[in-house]
Amino acid sequence: MLEDLFSLDGRLAVVTGASGAIGREAARVFLALGATVVMTGRTPEHLDEARASLPADAPVTALLGDARDAGHVAEIAETAAAQGGADILVNSVGTNIRKPLLDATNEDMQFLWDVNMASVWAVTQALVPQMVEKGYGKIINMCSIGSFIGLELKTMYAITKGALAQHTRSAAVELAKYGIRVNGIAPGYVDTPMTHAWIHSEREEQFLSAIPLRRFAQVEDMGGAFAYLASRASDHMTGQLLVLDGGETISSA
Ligand SMILES: NC(=O)c1ccc[n+]([C@@H]2O[C@H](COP(=O)([O-])OP(=O)(O)OC[C@H]3O[C@@H](n4cnc5c(N)ncnc54)[C@H](O)[C@@H]3O)[C@@H](O)[C@H]2O)c1
C-alpha cells in the first residue's frame, strides 16, 4: 500500500535546526505522516514560533540549545532515548558567512566548520547507538549544491557542505550493516531567512537566469524529499544526495 510506504507511524524523528525554515518543514511533514518529533533550535523566539506553527496537540518536544555545546547534544540524545530512541535524524543546523576568500578569517572558517559540520558529527554520533539498537534508522543531512560545485563568496560554506556530503557517503558505508540509511538533500537557493535578503537583491536576475526552472525553491519544495528519505520508500537508497535545485547544476546557463 502506498500509505504504508510513506507512513512514519511509531517513528521518533529528531530534527535539529527545526526553529529554522527547512527544519520546521521536516517536522511538519513527519508529524503529518504519523511520527513523534523532537525539534531543536538555538534562538528562543524562533523555536517558540516554530513550535507554535505546528498543531498544538502534536507529539512534539522542543529543545533549546547550541549544537556546538556537548551538554545540549547529550540532552538531545537523552530526550530521544526517553521516548524510545531516534528512528530518524535530520541534521538541518546550518549557517553561512558570505565573504571573499581573501577577506575571510580563520575565526570565520572555524565558526562555520563548528556549526555546519562538527555539530552534525557530534549529534549523529550521539544518536546512532539508538538506531543500532533498533537495527534501523534514517539520517538526512542538509547538504547544498555547494557540496559539489564552487560558490562565489561562499568558499567556506562550500567546504563545510562538501565535507557533509562526504560524511553522508562514508557514514552510509559504515552504518549500512546496522540497517541505517544516510542520505542528504542538496538544494540550490531556498527562499528562507538565511537567503531571503541575498537572493532578492540586485543579484536576483543573475541567480534566476542560472536556474532552468526560473524560480527559487520554497520550503514546501523540500517536503517530498523529507517524506521519501525518512520512510520505507527509500529503503534501498543510501549515501546519496537528492539535488533539489531547479536544474541549476545540470545547466550550462
Ligand atoms: N536556504 C537555502 O537556500 C539552503 C540551501 C542549501 C542548504 N541549506 C541548508 O539547510 C539547512 C537549513 O537552512 P534554512 O534555510 O532553514 O536556514 P535557517 O537559518 O532558517 O535555519 C537554520 C537553523 O540552524 C540553527 N542553528 C544555526 N546555528 C546553530 C547553532 N550554533 N546551534 C544550534 N542551532 C543552530 C538555527 O537555530 C535554525 O534552526 C542549513 O544547514 C543550510 O545550510 C539551505
Side-chain angles (χ1 to χ4, degrees):
M1 291 283 286
L2 197 57
E3 284 142 47
D4 295 338
L5 203 57
F6 288 95
S7 170
L8 299 181
D9 272 349
R11 302 285 191 208
L12 179 67
V14 174
V15 184
T16 72
S19 57
I22 293 174
R24 190 182 305 195
E25 175 66 4
R28 190 188 68 77
V29 167
F30 295 161
L31 288 169
L33 293 172
T36 297
V37 170
V38 175
M39 61 192 295
T40 78
R42 188 188 41 171
T43 314
E45 53 277 24
H46 293 167
L47 189 61
D48 289 348
E49 187 191 301
R51 176 62 189 92
S53 74
L54 302 168
D57 58 351
V60 176
T61 308
L63 293 180
L64 184 68
D66 190 313
R68 295 167 296 170
D69 169 11
H72 176 56
V73 173
E75 188 190 13
I76 297 171
E78 284 156 18
T79 303
Q83 298 185 39
D87 302 284
I88 298 158
L89 166 63
V90 174
N91 285 306
S92 194
V93 164
T95 192
N96 200 357
I97 299 173
R98 299 181 190 95
K99 261 190 189 178
L101 185 149
L102 290 173
D103 296 342
T105 65
N106 287 346
E107 288 72 26
D108 292 333
M109 185 64 237
Q110 189 65 52
F111 172 72
L112 277 192
W113 179 261
D114 289 346
V115 175
N116 290 1
M117 187 58 244
S119 79
V120 172
W121 166 260
V123 171
T124 304
Q125 260 209 328
L127 289 174
V128 157
Q130 300 176 10
M131 297 179 179
V132 169
E133 206 164 298
K134 290 165 185 255
Y136 188 80
K138 298 276 191 173
I139 299 174
I140 305 168
N141 292 324
M142 283 311 303
C143 299
S144 157
I145 58 172
S147 294
F148 42 82
I149 64 168
L151 300 174
E152 184 79 33
L153 300 179
K154 286 176 281 189
T155 293
M156 295 182 289
Y157 179 80
I159 288 169
T160 65
K161 294 298 183 179
L164 186 55
Q166 198 53 10
H167 173 50
T168 302
R169 297 183 191 102
S170 208
V173 171
E174 273 204 58
L175 300 177
K177 57 178 168 293
Y178 305 112
I180 302 171
R181 285 78 168 166
V182 190
N183 292 292
I185 298 176
Y189 281 124
V190 188
D191 196 344
T192 73
M194 183 190 260
T195 55
H196 189 80
W198 175 254
I199 59 181
H200 297 294
S201 64
E202 71 281 356
R203 295 179 169 86
E204 181 163 352
E205 276 316 308
Q206 179 202 332
F207 290 150
L208 284 173
S209 67
I211 305 170
L213 289 179
R214 296 286 183 267
R215 69 174 180 86
F216 302 118
Q218 302 298 317
V219 284
E220 295 76 15
D221 290 311
M222 308 292 114
F226 283 123
Y228 175 62
L229 292 177
S231 66
R232 290 210 174 270
S234 61
D235 267 2
H236 203 52
M237 176 169 166
T238 198
Q240 302 296 326
L241 305 192
L242 273 184
V243 182
L244 305 183
D245 68 348
E248 184 169 356
T249 51
I250 48 89
S251 165
S252 61

